[in-house]
């Protein structure tokens, strides 16, 4: 199985800060990576697919990059609405696997 | 608007069974694979199963293989997850989601609680 590791597990940042979340795969997944945002008490929502493709309607302050085994999700200017847990997911192989999540708190 | 609505969850004793359903609308259901993902209370997301568009292929997490069965009815725009031999560790919110790669959209989930 491909293991996905996110860091940090929790981060606290101020409104307007640039925030970066890292996701590492235990083996190469090319660019078969998605990012999801899950707000408290809600279902996950897709933010980015195939590493860097922003889903329609997602604010442009979100961006993704990487390839192979190392990937990043960046929020260019953190907003109060971005309070959520963020998950990466690989779809290079079965079983599909998720990172453990990164909880973003807004100071 | 694409929408997924799950149902069928509930409280069940260890060893029991349930059939979860996910009704789809707003897209051509028969053209897309469908996936089940679960989330135990306070925990992260765990992929459970995927079924291809025709139902010809199915995939399962090792933790549920042999106990869970995914199926679909393209005439009813519905995907199912039969969950048998339930264990305490199967307690979770079960989401269905569109797609076999990235998943979008997700339903609101149906809660399965395994407890005696």
């Amino acid at each position: 199985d491909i293991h996905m590791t996110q860091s940090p597990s929790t981060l606290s940042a101020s409104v307007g800060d640039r925030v970066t979340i890292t996701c590492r795969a235990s083996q190469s997944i090319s660019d078969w990576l998605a990012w999801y945002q899950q707000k408290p008490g809600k279902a996950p929502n897709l933010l980015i697919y195939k590493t860097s493709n922003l889903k329609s309607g997602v604010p442009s302050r979100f961006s993704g990059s990487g390839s192979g085994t190392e990937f990043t999700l960046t929020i260019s200017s953190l907003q109060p609405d971005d309070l959520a847990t963020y998950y990466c997911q690989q779809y290079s192989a079965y079983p599909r696997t998720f990172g453990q999540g990164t909880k973003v708190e807004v100071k | 608007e694409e929408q997924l609505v799950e149902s069928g969850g509930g409280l069940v004793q260890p060893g029991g069974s349930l059939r979860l359903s996910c009704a789809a609308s707003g897209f051509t259901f028969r053209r897309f694979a469908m996936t089940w993902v679960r989330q135990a209370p306070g925990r992260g997301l765990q992929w459970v199963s995927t079924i291809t568009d025709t139902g010809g292929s199915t995939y399962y997490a090792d933790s549920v293989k042999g106990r869970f069965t995914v199926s679909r009815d393209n005439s009813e725009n519905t995907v199912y997850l039969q969950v048998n031999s339930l264990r305490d560790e199967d307690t979770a919110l079960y989401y269905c989601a569109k797609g076999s790669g990235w998943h979008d959209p997700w339903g609101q989930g149906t809660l399965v609680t395994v407890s005696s």
Side-chain angles (χ1 to χ4, degrees):
Chain A
D1 297 4
I2 299 174
H3 187 65
M4 307 299 291
T5 304
Q6 287 181 233
S7 59
S9 295
T10 306
L11 71 86
S12 182
S14 299
V15 172
D17 284 355
R18 183 181 182 88
V19 167
T20 298
I21 299 168
T22 297
C23 176
R24 289 186 173 89
S26 61
Q27 65 189 74
S28 177
I29 58 170
S30 184
D31 58 358
W32 304 115
L33 186 98
W35 289 97
Y36 301 90
Q37 177 191 64
Q38 186 177 33
K39 294 184 177 181
K42 301 294 186 182
N45 278 319
L46 176 70
L47 293 175
I48 288 170
Y49 60 96
K50 208 165 183 286
T51 295
S52 59
N53 293 272
L54 203 64
K55 174 190 167 182
S56 176
V58 171
S60 59
R61 63 180 180 273
F62 291 93
S63 64
S65 64
S67 68
T69 61
E70 188 150 339
F71 302 86
T72 59
L73 172 69
T74 300
I75 308 173
S76 61
S77 178
L78 190 68
Q79 300 301 305
D81 188 53
D82 300 336
L83 164 71
T85 300
Y86 295 83
Y87 295 92
C88 62
Q89 177 229 333
Q90 66 80 19
Y91 52 97
S92 173
Y94 287 102
R96 307 308 199 207
T97 45
F98 291 87
Q100 80 279 14
T102 296
K103 186 176 182 179
V104 174
E105 300 171 344
V106 181
K107 288 180 183 174
Chain B
E1 178 193 3
E2 298 183 352
Q3 190 172 13
L4 299 169
V5 178
E6 300 95 334
S7 60
L11 174 63
V12 61
Q13 292 186 338
S17 299
L18 288 170
R19 188 174 84 153
L20 311 183
S21 300
C22 171
S25 60
F27 63 98
T28 307
F29 179 75
R30 67 180 184 275
R31 293 183 180 173
F32 292 92
M34 297 294 293
T35 292
W36 288 93
V37 175
R38 68 184 180 183
Q39 187 169 35
R43 306 294 297 274
L45 302 171
Q46 180 189 22
W47 173 81
V48 173
S49 180
T50 294
I51 184 167
T52 55
D53 52 356
T54 62
S57 293
T58 56
Y59 305 88
Y60 298 94
D62 284 347
S63 58
V64 307
K65 203 172 294 183
R67 301 187 299 122
F68 290 12
T69 303
V70 63
S71 62
R72 65 190 295 160
D73 183 340
N74 284 348
S75 68
E76 295 290 331
N77 291 349
T78 301
V79 60
Y80 302 98
L81 187 68
Q82 178 69 40
V83 296
N84 297 332
S85 303
L86 283 163
R87 306 167 180 168
D88 290 349
E89 57 265 33
D90 296 318
T91 293
L93 189 58
Y94 285 72
Y95 295 103
C96 71
K98 175 185 159 207
S100 61
W102 69 85
H103 305 304
D104 180 57
W106 297 55
Q108 84 290 347
T110 188
L111 181 63
V112 172
T113 303
V114 184
S115 175
S116 53

